[in-house]
Amino acid sequence: EALAAVQHVLDALAADGEWGPLLLEPPRLLGVQDLLPAGVVLSMQLVTVAGAQWRLRRALLRRIAEALQTAGIPLAHWPELPLPGHSTPGS
């Protein structure tokens, strides 16, 4: 479900009148790059005109975060870390 949501965002970015012209190739979702305790790392490839990569990256990440939130897919799980001198539940 998450991969489909991200692919939809990539397709929409390419079709967007503002962002699409900055792409030299269609964006590609390469798949799962890593599995970490905090979440899954996805790999994507965007080829842009010179100087547009950072603006496109920010726009893409914002759109991905919104799409995943709308779909009810959490971005990551960050376990609480115990602070020195504080007890944690169950300890």
Side-chain angles (χ1 to χ4, degrees), residues 40-83:
V40 176
V41 178
L42 299 180
S43 181
M44 293 161 267
Q45 182 179 40
L46 278 76
V47 180
T48 72
V49 298
Q53 68 270 25
W54 305 117
R55 287 183 297 148
L56 266 165
R57 181 179 191 273
R58 286 189 298 272
L60 175 64
L61 292 176
R62 179 184 49 80
R63 287 178 178 213
I64 289 172
E66 290 170 354
L68 293 176
Q69 183 177 26
T70 298
I73 301 168
L75 290 178
H77 171 70
W78 297 100
E80 289 187 35
L81 299 175
L83 297 174

Side-chain angles (χ1 to χ4, degrees), residues 6 13 20 32 52:
V6 171
L13 187 74
V32 175

